[in-house]
Amino acid sequence: MPEPRNISPDRVVLGLETSCDETAAAVVTGKREVLANVVLSQLDDHRPYGGVVPEIAARAHVEQLDGIIARAMNEAGLGFADLDAIAATAGPGLVGGVMVGLVTAKAIAAAARRPLIAVNHLEGHALSARLVAEVEFPFLCLLVSGGHCQLLVAEGVGRYRRLGSTIDDAVGEAFDKTAKLLGLGYPGGPALERAAAGGQACYDLPRPMLGRENCDFSFSGLKTAVRHLVEGLGPGAPSTRQVADVAASFQAAVGDVLADRCARAIAILQREHGGGSLVVAGGVAANATVRSRLEELATAHGIAMVAPPLALCTDNGAMIAWAGVERLALGLSDPLDVAARARWPLDAAAAGRIVSPRRGRSS
Ligand code: KG4
Ligand code: ZN
């Protein structure tokens, strides 16, 4: 793969991610080399509560981040003096955790006399495709995670236009809640996908927003429909077979909705820019059914679909380091007093509009 245009290949950036329940550090170069990518999941800490507890997350980040950074630097075989910049997620997210990563990045930047780059977590997800593939701006980005569900046109680094977003739950949240309802445990997305693999999409579930003129999403009705379906299955239900079939039916409905919403957005991209590609990012992009539905859709529209490898779909430090590489190439860095932000929409025009309050995240 050729080196990305305008980015010095010898640039090396450390990226820190602490906005939710992963403590992560990675070292990435301008040549798209991931020299280290260390992710520590706090899943076991939060599992007893069935979701992320902000105080537990922040404390775990405090306890673990130094060790995770040391491991990443060690794996990369570098010292802080070898870095060109230190990037950290500065929001949106659970602000206690964001502060831990950002303050640590500031300390390293000050001590090593290197620039600090405050990265928007959503931009990290959006640009992760450019770390793994030749994706030119403008591209369409479907950002689907536990806290976010939106369609954006990425016109350049720092330049995003939101075409639509969820009016209620994020799609990852719908996966998590549906999985909980089916007794599949936490985190729900991967568990539901595994259960669905043995099932048939035989139940008729609603496809909210299908055919609507805009590019918005809605998932709370689908989640409620699953609850009614399961309640109506009778005593002793659901059986393992029924769980698998409900999970497969839910996934099929999600696939239809995402494909329909993306079809609208692709039409806008093609009308305005004459082409581009479809990037799918965020934890739900790890789902094989979602990926293949969107791949089919992109092929039918004559555009490429790019989804990062699974490890780069869920939260990680490499996407933050890469966003740092991209910003550094444009001469963008931040002062040491830059603040952590619980809310930070990617699209300036959307500032102030809360989309999904789950886990303290909004966009
Ligand atoms: O991007 P991410 O790691 O964190 C946020 O920024 O939210 O996304 C986590 C979300 C969770 O809701 C999780 O259930 C979902 O992504 N997820 C999946 C899969 N893997 C993770 N959803 C469906 N299928 C998967 N394989
Ligand atoms: Zn994320």
Side-chain angles (χ1 to χ4, degrees), residues 42-89:
Q42 303 172 1
L43 273 182
D44 292 340
D45 299 335
H46 300 286
R47 190 173 280 113
Y49 307 94
V52 179
V53 182
E55 292 74 18
I56 293 178
R59 184 176 293 266
H61 290 308
V62 169
E63 285 165 3
Q64 302 292 346
L65 185 58
D66 284 357
I68 296 293
I69 295 171
R71 261 180 66 193
M73 295 302 293
N74 205 25
E75 276 179 29
L78 299 174
F80 292 142
D82 301 314
L83 299 171
D84 291 287
I86 294 87
T89 294

mmCIF file of all heavy atoms in Angstrom, residues 42-89:
data_model
loop_
_atom_site.group_PDB
_atom_site.id
_atom_site.type_symbol
_atom_site.label_atom_id
_atom_site.label_comp_id
_atom_site.label_asym_id
_atom_site.label_seq_id
_atom_site.Cartn_x
_atom_site.Cartn_y
_atom_site.Cartn_z
ATOM 1 N N GLN A 42 -11.766 -3.562 30.596
ATOM 2 C CA GLN A 42 -12.203 -3.606 31.998
ATOM 3 C C GLN A 42 -13.477 -4.434 32.153
ATOM 4 O O GLN A 42 -14.164 -4.320 33.171
ATOM 5 C CB GLN A 42 -12.497 -2.194 32.501
ATOM 6 C CG GLN A 42 -11.340 -1.227 32.394
ATOM 7 C CD GLN A 42 -11.783 0.192 32.739
ATOM 8 O OE1 GLN A 42 -12.936 0.445 33.069
ATOM 9 N NE2 GLN A 42 -10.847 1.125 32.663
ATOM 10 N N LEU A 43 -13.781 -5.234 31.145
ATOM 11 C CA LEU A 43 -15.054 -5.971 31.141
ATOM 12 C C LEU A 43 -15.370 -6.662 32.458
ATOM 13 O O LEU A 43 -16.491 -6.575 32.963
ATOM 14 C CB LEU A 43 -15.023 -7.049 30.045
ATOM 15 C CG LEU A 43 -15.460 -6.596 28.668
ATOM 16 C CD1 LEU A 43 -15.423 -7.766 27.720
ATOM 17 C CD2 LEU A 43 -16.846 -5.990 28.757
ATOM 18 N N ASP A 44 -14.358 -7.339 33.016
ATOM 19 C CA ASP A 44 -14.618 -8.100 34.242
ATOM 20 C C ASP A 44 -15.013 -7.187 35.398
ATOM 21 O O ASP A 44 -15.779 -7.577 36.272
ATOM 22 C CB ASP A 44 -13.391 -8.946 34.614
ATOM 23 C CG ASP A 44 -13.174 -10.064 33.601
ATOM 24 O OD1 ASP A 44 -14.147 -10.393 32.878
ATOM 25 O OD2 ASP A 44 -12.045 -10.578 33.515
ATOM 26 N N ASP A 45 -14.461 -5.951 35.397
ATOM 27 C CA ASP A 45 -14.790 -5.006 36.474
ATOM 28 C C ASP A 45 -16.250 -4.576 36.405
ATOM 29 O O ASP A 45 -16.888 -4.300 37.413
ATOM 30 C CB ASP A 45 -13.917 -3.734 36.379
ATOM 31 C CG ASP A 45 -12.442 -4.053 36.520
ATOM 32 O OD1 ASP A 45 -12.134 -5.093 37.135
ATOM 33 O OD2 ASP A 45 -11.610 -3.276 36.011
ATOM 34 N N HIS A 46 -16.779 -4.471 35.152
ATOM 35 C CA HIS A 46 -18.123 -3.913 34.982
ATOM 36 C C HIS A 46 -19.213 -4.980 34.846
ATOM 37 O O HIS A 46 -20.385 -4.675 35.025
ATOM 38 C CB HIS A 46 -18.151 -3.008 33.740
ATOM 39 C CG HIS A 46 -17.189 -1.858 33.826
ATOM 40 N ND1 HIS A 46 -17.420 -0.770 34.636
ATOM 41 C CD2 HIS A 46 -15.997 -1.640 33.240
ATOM 42 C CE1 HIS A 46 -16.399 0.078 34.522
ATOM 43 N NE2 HIS A 46 -15.514 -0.435 33.681
ATOM 44 N N ARG A 47 -18.794 -6.205 34.522
ATOM 45 C CA ARG A 47 -19.784 -7.257 34.235
ATOM 46 C C ARG A 47 -20.829 -7.421 35.331
ATOM 47 O O ARG A 47 -22.035 -7.510 35.042
ATOM 48 C CB ARG A 47 -19.066 -8.586 33.946
ATOM 49 C CG ARG A 47 -20.021 -9.649 33.417
ATOM 50 C CD ARG A 47 -19.324 -10.910 32.955
ATOM 51 N NE ARG A 47 -18.738 -10.778 31.626
ATOM 52 C CZ ARG A 47 -17.452 -10.794 31.356
ATOM 53 N NH1 ARG A 47 -16.576 -10.922 32.334
ATOM 54 N NH2 ARG A 47 -17.009 -10.675 30.130
ATOM 55 N N PRO A 48 -20.428 -7.414 36.639
ATOM 56 C CA PRO A 48 -21.444 -7.608 37.681
ATOM 57 C C PRO A 48 -22.544 -6.552 37.639
ATOM 58 O O PRO A 48 -23.638 -6.784 38.144
ATOM 59 C CB PRO A 48 -20.651 -7.486 38.982
ATOM 60 C CG PRO A 48 -19.221 -7.676 38.618
ATOM 61 C CD PRO A 48 -19.080 -7.287 37.181
ATOM 62 N N TYR A 49 -22.281 -5.399 37.048
ATOM 63 C CA TYR A 49 -23.268 -4.308 37.027
ATOM 64 C C TYR A 49 -24.037 -4.268 35.704
ATOM 65 O O TYR A 49 -24.915 -3.433 35.512
ATOM 66 C CB TYR A 49 -22.567 -2.955 37.266
ATOM 67 C CG TYR A 49 -21.724 -2.985 38.526
ATOM 68 C CD1 TYR A 49 -20.366 -3.292 38.459
ATOM 69 C CD2 TYR A 49 -22.296 -2.772 39.775
ATOM 70 C CE1 TYR A 49 -19.588 -3.371 39.607
ATOM 71 C CE2 TYR A 49 -21.534 -2.856 40.933
ATOM 72 C CZ TYR A 49 -20.186 -3.158 40.835
ATOM 73 O OH TYR A 49 -19.425 -3.247 41.979
ATOM 74 N N GLY A 50 -23.663 -5.113 34.748
ATOM 75 C CA GLY A 50 -24.376 -5.181 33.466
ATOM 76 C C GLY A 50 -24.150 -3.974 32.583
ATOM 77 O O GLY A 50 -24.889 -3.744 31.623
ATOM 78 N N GLY A 51 -23.153 -3.178 32.878
ATOM 79 C CA GLY A 51 -22.859 -1.998 32.060
ATOM 80 C C GLY A 51 -21.668 -1.272 32.663
ATOM 81 O O GLY A 51 -21.166 -1.664 33.724
ATOM 82 N N VAL A 52 -21.219 -0.222 31.983
ATOM 83 C CA VAL A 52 -20.014 0.484 32.436
ATOM 84 C C VAL A 52 -20.354 1.430 33.591
ATOM 85 O O VAL A 52 -21.249 2.265 33.471
ATOM 86 C CB VAL A 52 -19.390 1.276 31.271
ATOM 87 C CG1 VAL A 52 -18.157 2.026 31.745
ATOM 88 C CG2 VAL A 52 -19.046 0.345 30.131
ATOM 89 N N VAL A 53 -19.630 1.296 34.701
ATOM 90 C CA VAL A 53 -19.817 2.189 35.849
ATOM 91 C C VAL A 53 -18.705 3.252 35.793
ATOM 92 O O VAL A 53 -17.526 2.916 35.914
ATOM 93 C CB VAL A 53 -19.730 1.413 37.185
ATOM 94 C CG1 VAL A 53 -19.984 2.332 38.377
ATOM 95 C CG2 VAL A 53 -20.706 0.236 37.170
ATOM 96 N N PRO A 54 -19.063 4.527 35.572
ATOM 97 C CA PRO A 54 -18.043 5.548 35.340
ATOM 98 C C PRO A 54 -16.955 5.631 36.409
ATOM 99 O O PRO A 54 -15.769 5.735 36.077
ATOM 100 C CB PRO A 54 -18.855 6.850 35.293
ATOM 101 C CG PRO A 54 -20.220 6.424 34.848
ATOM 102 C CD PRO A 54 -20.430 5.056 35.439
ATOM 103 N N GLU A 55 -17.324 5.537 37.675
ATOM 104 C CA GLU A 55 -16.316 5.668 38.751
ATOM 105 C C GLU A 55 -15.332 4.500 38.716
ATOM 106 O O GLU A 55 -14.135 4.679 38.915
ATOM 107 C CB GLU A 55 -16.981 5.717 40.140
ATOM 108 C CG GLU A 55 -17.790 6.978 40.409
ATOM 109 C CD GLU A 55 -19.116 7.009 39.655
ATOM 110 O OE1 GLU A 55 -19.586 5.930 39.196
ATOM 111 O OE2 GLU A 55 -19.675 8.110 39.484
ATOM 112 N N ILE A 56 -15.861 3.308 38.468
ATOM 113 C CA ILE A 56 -14.988 2.119 38.403
ATOM 114 C C ILE A 56 -14.051 2.256 37.201
ATOM 115 O O ILE A 56 -12.856 1.970 37.280
ATOM 116 C CB ILE A 56 -15.830 0.821 38.302
ATOM 117 C CG1 ILE A 56 -16.599 0.630 39.608
ATOM 118 C CG2 ILE A 56 -14.957 -0.374 37.981
ATOM 119 C CD1 ILE A 56 -17.520 -0.592 39.616
ATOM 120 N N ALA A 57 -14.600 2.757 36.085
ATOM 121 C CA ALA A 57 -13.783 2.916 34.872
ATOM 122 C C ALA A 57 -12.640 3.895 35.127
ATOM 123 O O ALA A 57 -11.480 3.599 34.821
ATOM 124 C CB ALA A 57 -14.657 3.409 33.716
ATOM 125 N N ALA A 58 -12.952 5.048 35.721
ATOM 126 C CA ALA A 58 -11.921 6.071 35.928
ATOM 127 C C ALA A 58 -10.823 5.539 36.842
ATOM 128 O O ALA A 58 -9.629 5.719 36.575
ATOM 129 C CB ALA A 58 -12.558 7.337 36.515
ATOM 130 N N ARG A 59 -11.230 4.845 37.907
ATOM 131 C CA ARG A 59 -10.238 4.308 38.850
ATOM 132 C C ARG A 59 -9.347 3.270 38.163
ATOM 133 O O ARG A 59 -8.128 3.261 38.334
ATOM 134 C CB ARG A 59 -10.964 3.678 40.040
ATOM 135 C CG ARG A 59 -10.033 3.188 41.125
ATOM 136 C CD ARG A 59 -10.844 2.671 42.286
ATOM 137 N NE ARG A 59 -11.568 3.751 42.945
ATOM 138 C CZ ARG A 59 -11.096 4.406 44.011
ATOM 139 N NH1 ARG A 59 -9.933 4.080 44.521
ATOM 140 N NH2 ARG A 59 -11.782 5.368 44.560
ATOM 141 N N ALA A 60 -9.956 2.414 37.355
ATOM 142 C CA ALA A 60 -9.179 1.387 36.663
ATOM 143 C C ALA A 60 -8.192 2.030 35.683
ATOM 144 O O ALA A 60 -7.044 1.583 35.559
ATOM 145 C CB ALA A 60 -10.103 0.416 35.940
ATOM 146 N N HIS A 61 -8.626 3.103 35.002
ATOM 147 C CA HIS A 61 -7.694 3.792 34.091
ATOM 148 C C HIS A 61 -6.497 4.327 34.876
ATOM 149 O O HIS A 61 -5.352 4.201 34.446
ATOM 150 C CB HIS A 61 -8.390 4.951 33.372
ATOM 151 C CG HIS A 61 -9.406 4.523 32.346
ATOM 152 N ND1 HIS A 61 -9.129 3.626 31.348
ATOM 153 C CD2 HIS A 61 -10.700 4.895 32.162
ATOM 154 C CE1 HIS A 61 -10.220 3.447 30.602
ATOM 155 N NE2 HIS A 61 -11.177 4.201 31.078
ATOM 156 N N VAL A 62 -6.772 4.945 36.046
ATOM 157 C CA VAL A 62 -5.685 5.495 36.866
ATOM 158 C C VAL A 62 -4.696 4.389 37.222
ATOM 159 O O VAL A 62 -3.477 4.559 37.127
ATOM 160 C CB VAL A 62 -6.235 6.138 38.165
ATOM 161 C CG1 VAL A 62 -5.104 6.470 39.129
ATOM 162 C CG2 VAL A 62 -7.056 7.381 37.857
ATOM 163 N N GLU A 63 -5.245 3.238 37.612
ATOM 164 C CA GLU A 63 -4.371 2.155 38.074
ATOM 165 C C GLU A 63 -3.587 1.508 36.940
ATOM 166 O O GLU A 63 -2.468 1.064 37.134
ATOM 167 C CB GLU A 63 -5.214 1.081 38.780
ATOM 168 C CG GLU A 63 -5.642 1.543 40.169
ATOM 169 C CD GLU A 63 -6.762 0.681 40.752
ATOM 170 O OE1 GLU A 63 -7.159 -0.309 40.099
ATOM 171 O OE2 GLU A 63 -7.242 1.027 41.843
ATOM 172 N N GLN A 64 -4.180 1.458 35.748
ATOM 173 C CA GLN A 64 -3.582 0.646 34.684
ATOM 174 C C GLN A 64 -2.811 1.410 33.620
ATOM 175 O O GLN A 64 -1.966 0.836 32.949
ATOM 176 C CB GLN A 64 -4.689 -0.153 33.958
ATOM 177 C CG GLN A 64 -5.507 -1.057 34.858
ATOM 178 C CD GLN A 64 -4.700 -2.229 35.408
ATOM 179 O OE1 GLN A 64 -3.598 -2.529 34.917
ATOM 180 N NE2 GLN A 64 -5.219 -2.884 36.431
ATOM 181 N N LEU A 65 -3.129 2.689 33.435
ATOM 182 C CA LEU A 65 -2.624 3.368 32.234
ATOM 183 C C LEU A 65 -1.095 3.409 32.156
ATOM 184 O O LEU A 65 -0.532 3.128 31.097
ATOM 185 C CB LEU A 65 -3.215 4.789 32.129
ATOM 186 C CG LEU A 65 -2.851 5.529 30.840
ATOM 187 C CD1 LEU A 65 -3.290 4.758 29.600
ATOM 188 C CD2 LEU A 65 -3.472 6.934 30.832
ATOM 189 N N ASP A 66 -0.415 3.710 33.288
ATOM 190 C CA ASP A 66 1.053 3.785 33.245
ATOM 191 C C ASP A 66 1.662 2.482 32.733
ATOM 192 O O ASP A 66 2.570 2.487 31.886
ATOM 193 C CB ASP A 66 1.621 4.055 34.644
ATOM 194 C CG ASP A 66 1.422 5.505 35.053
ATOM 195 O OD1 ASP A 66 0.898 6.276 34.226
ATOM 196 O OD2 ASP A 66 1.779 5.839 36.200
ATOM 197 N N GLY A 67 1.167 1.368 33.268
ATOM 198 C CA GLY A 67 1.695 0.060 32.868
ATOM 199 C C GLY A 67 1.420 -0.243 31.400
ATOM 200 O O GLY A 67 2.264 -0.822 30.708
ATOM 201 N N ILE A 68 0.233 0.179 30.934
ATOM 202 C CA ILE A 68 -0.135 -0.077 29.533
ATOM 203 C C ILE A 68 0.763 0.750 28.601
ATOM 204 O O ILE A 68 1.221 0.269 27.551
ATOM 205 C CB ILE A 68 -1.631 0.286 29.316
ATOM 206 C CG1 ILE A 68 -2.527 -0.629 30.158
ATOM 207 C CG2 ILE A 68 -2.026 0.240 27.843
ATOM 208 C CD1 ILE A 68 -2.534 -2.070 29.736
ATOM 209 N N ILE A 69 1.041 1.988 29.003
ATOM 210 C CA ILE A 69 1.936 2.832 28.185
ATOM 211 C C ILE A 69 3.342 2.220 28.159
ATOM 212 O O ILE A 69 3.970 2.128 27.094
ATOM 213 C CB ILE A 69 1.982 4.278 28.734
ATOM 214 C CG1 ILE A 69 0.615 4.949 28.593
ATOM 215 C CG2 ILE A 69 3.067 5.096 28.021
ATOM 216 C CD1 ILE A 69 0.495 6.295 29.301
ATOM 217 N N ALA A 70 3.804 1.780 29.328
ATOM 218 C CA ALA A 70 5.156 1.192 29.395
ATOM 219 C C ALA A 70 5.234 -0.025 28.475
ATOM 220 O O ALA A 70 6.222 -0.209 27.751
ATOM 221 C CB ALA A 70 5.488 0.811 30.843
ATOM 222 N N ARG A 71 4.164 -0.843 28.481
ATOM 223 C CA ARG A 71 4.165 -2.029 27.606
ATOM 224 C C ARG A 71 4.212 -1.631 26.143
ATOM 225 O O ARG A 71 4.937 -2.225 25.343
ATOM 226 C CB ARG A 71 2.901 -2.863 27.861
ATOM 227 C CG ARG A 71 3.159 -4.045 28.771
ATOM 228 C CD ARG A 71 1.905 -4.848 28.999
ATOM 229 N NE ARG A 71 1.395 -5.507 27.808
ATOM 230 C CZ ARG A 71 0.186 -6.057 27.723
ATOM 231 N NH1 ARG A 71 -0.630 -6.000 28.761
ATOM 232 N NH2 ARG A 71 -0.206 -6.660 26.625
ATOM 233 N N ALA A 72 3.410 -0.623 25.793
ATOM 234 C CA ALA A 72 3.358 -0.198 24.383
ATOM 235 C C ALA A 72 4.720 0.353 23.942
ATOM 236 O O ALA A 72 5.212 0.006 22.857
ATOM 237 C CB ALA A 72 2.260 0.852 24.194
ATOM 238 N N MET A 73 5.340 1.177 24.771
ATOM 239 C CA MET A 73 6.636 1.752 24.403
ATOM 240 C C MET A 73 7.689 0.648 24.287
ATOM 241 O O MET A 73 8.541 0.673 23.401
ATOM 242 C CB MET A 73 7.070 2.798 25.450
ATOM 243 C CG MET A 73 6.164 4.020 25.526
ATOM 244 S SD MET A 73 5.996 4.919 23.965
ATOM 245 C CE MET A 73 7.643 5.587 23.730
ATOM 246 N N ASN A 74 7.597 -0.300 25.197
ATOM 247 C CA ASN A 74 8.519 -1.418 25.210
ATOM 248 C C ASN A 74 8.373 -2.260 23.943
ATOM 249 O O ASN A 74 9.354 -2.600 23.281
ATOM 250 C CB ASN A 74 8.186 -2.250 26.458
ATOM 251 C CG ASN A 74 9.379 -3.019 26.908
ATOM 252 O OD1 ASN A 74 10.508 -2.631 26.625
ATOM 253 N ND2 ASN A 74 9.135 -4.137 27.575
ATOM 254 N N GLU A 75 7.118 -2.582 23.594
ATOM 255 C CA GLU A 75 6.870 -3.369 22.373
ATOM 256 C C GLU A 75 7.347 -2.639 21.133
ATOM 257 O O GLU A 75 7.837 -3.234 20.186
ATOM 258 C CB GLU A 75 5.369 -3.668 22.225
ATOM 259 C CG GLU A 75 4.945 -4.875 23.017
ATOM 260 C CD GLU A 75 3.452 -5.153 22.888
ATOM 261 O OE1 GLU A 75 2.846 -4.825 21.842
ATOM 262 O OE2 GLU A 75 2.891 -5.691 23.866
ATOM 263 N N ALA A 76 7.189 -1.303 21.153
ATOM 264 C CA ALA A 76 7.624 -0.501 19.996
ATOM 265 C C ALA A 76 9.148 -0.346 19.997
ATOM 266 O O ALA A 76 9.736 0.036 18.992
ATOM 267 C CB ALA A 76 6.943 0.871 20.031
ATOM 268 N N GLY A 77 9.775 -0.620 21.144
ATOM 269 C CA GLY A 77 11.227 -0.474 21.262
ATOM 270 C C GLY A 77 11.660 0.984 21.232
ATOM 271 O O GLY A 77 12.741 1.321 20.742
ATOM 272 N N LEU A 78 10.815 1.851 21.773
ATOM 273 C CA LEU A 78 11.102 3.286 21.720
ATOM 274 C C LEU A 78 11.038 3.905 23.113
ATOM 275 O O LEU A 78 10.407 3.361 24.021
ATOM 276 C CB LEU A 78 10.067 3.996 20.834
ATOM 277 C CG LEU A 78 9.999 3.570 19.358
ATOM 278 C CD1 LEU A 78 8.825 4.269 18.684
ATOM 279 C CD2 LEU A 78 11.306 3.902 18.643
ATOM 280 N N GLY A 79 11.692 5.073 23.241
ATOM 281 C CA GLY A 79 11.553 5.890 24.446
ATOM 282 C C GLY A 79 10.734 7.123 24.100
ATOM 283 O O GLY A 79 10.501 7.416 22.913
ATOM 284 N N PHE A 80 10.296 7.875 25.115
ATOM 285 C CA PHE A 80 9.460 9.060 24.855
ATOM 286 C C PHE A 80 10.166 10.066 23.931
ATOM 287 O O PHE A 80 9.536 10.760 23.146
ATOM 288 C CB PHE A 80 9.054 9.744 26.164
ATOM 289 C CG PHE A 80 8.099 8.918 27.001
ATOM 290 C CD1 PHE A 80 8.202 8.901 28.396
ATOM 291 C CD2 PHE A 80 7.090 8.170 26.409
ATOM 292 C CE1 PHE A 80 7.321 8.150 29.169
ATOM 293 C CE2 PHE A 80 6.206 7.409 27.179
ATOM 294 C CZ PHE A 80 6.331 7.406 28.560
ATOM 295 N N ALA A 81 11.513 10.108 24.029
ATOM 296 C CA ALA A 81 12.265 11.073 23.208
ATOM 297 C C ALA A 81 12.180 10.731 21.717
ATOM 298 O O ALA A 81 12.435 11.590 20.862
ATOM 299 C CB ALA A 81 13.730 11.103 23.653
ATOM 300 N N ASP A 82 11.814 9.485 21.398
ATOM 301 C CA ASP A 82 11.698 9.081 19.985
ATOM 302 C C ASP A 82 10.359 9.477 19.372
ATOM 303 O O ASP A 82 10.143 9.310 18.163
ATOM 304 C CB ASP A 82 11.838 7.550 19.856
ATOM 305 C CG ASP A 82 13.177 7.059 20.389
ATOM 306 O OD1 ASP A 82 14.196 7.684 20.040
ATOM 307 O OD2 ASP A 82 13.188 6.073 21.152
ATOM 308 N N LEU A 83 9.439 9.948 20.199
ATOM 309 C CA LEU A 83 8.100 10.273 19.695
ATOM 310 C C LEU A 83 8.088 11.658 19.053
ATOM 311 O O LEU A 83 8.831 12.555 19.473
ATOM 312 C CB LEU A 83 7.087 10.250 20.849
ATOM 313 C CG LEU A 83 6.911 8.919 21.578
ATOM 314 C CD1 LEU A 83 6.047 9.099 22.830
ATOM 315 C CD2 LEU A 83 6.289 7.867 20.648
ATOM 316 N N ASP A 84 7.217 11.830 18.075
ATOM 317 C CA ASP A 84 7.025 13.162 17.487
ATOM 318 C C ASP A 84 5.852 13.894 18.119
ATOM 319 O O ASP A 84 5.753 15.109 18.016
ATOM 320 C CB ASP A 84 6.812 13.042 15.976
ATOM 321 C CG ASP A 84 8.083 12.594 15.296
ATOM 322 O OD1 ASP A 84 9.004 13.412 15.193
ATOM 323 O OD2 ASP A 84 8.174 11.406 14.931
ATOM 324 N N ALA A 85 4.940 13.145 18.712
ATOM 325 C CA ALA A 85 3.792 13.775 19.387
ATOM 326 C C ALA A 85 3.123 12.749 20.278
ATOM 327 O O ALA A 85 3.321 11.541 20.111
ATOM 328 C CB ALA A 85 2.782 14.300 18.361
ATOM 329 N N ILE A 86 2.330 13.268 21.211
ATOM 330 C CA ILE A 86 1.524 12.401 22.080
ATOM 331 C C ILE A 86 0.070 12.791 21.856
ATOM 332 O O ILE A 86 -0.306 13.962 22.020
ATOM 333 C CB ILE A 86 1.906 12.553 23.575
ATOM 334 C CG1 ILE A 86 3.333 12.050 23.811
ATOM 335 C CG2 ILE A 86 0.970 11.725 24.462
ATOM 336 C CD1 ILE A 86 4.407 13.023 23.613
ATOM 337 N N ALA A 87 -0.722 11.797 21.451
ATOM 338 C CA ALA A 87 -2.144 12.053 21.196
ATOM 339 C C ALA A 87 -2.971 11.332 22.260
ATOM 340 O O ALA A 87 -2.594 10.253 22.711
ATOM 341 C CB ALA A 87 -2.529 11.508 19.813
ATOM 342 N N ALA A 88 -4.066 11.950 22.654
ATOM 343 C CA ALA A 88 -4.970 11.290 23.614
ATOM 344 C C ALA A 88 -6.392 11.683 23.295
ATOM 345 O O ALA A 88 -6.653 12.793 22.822
ATOM 346 C CB ALA A 88 -4.632 11.690 25.042
ATOM 347 N N THR A 89 -7.316 10.760 23.576
ATOM 348 C CA THR A 89 -8.735 11.097 23.443
ATOM 349 C C THR A 89 -9.052 12.197 24.450
ATOM 350 O O THR A 89 -8.776 12.060 25.641
ATOM 351 C CB THR A 89 -9.598 9.852 23.745
ATOM 352 O OG1 THR A 89 -9.349 8.889 22.730
ATOM 353 C CG2 THR A 89 -11.077 10.208 23.755
#
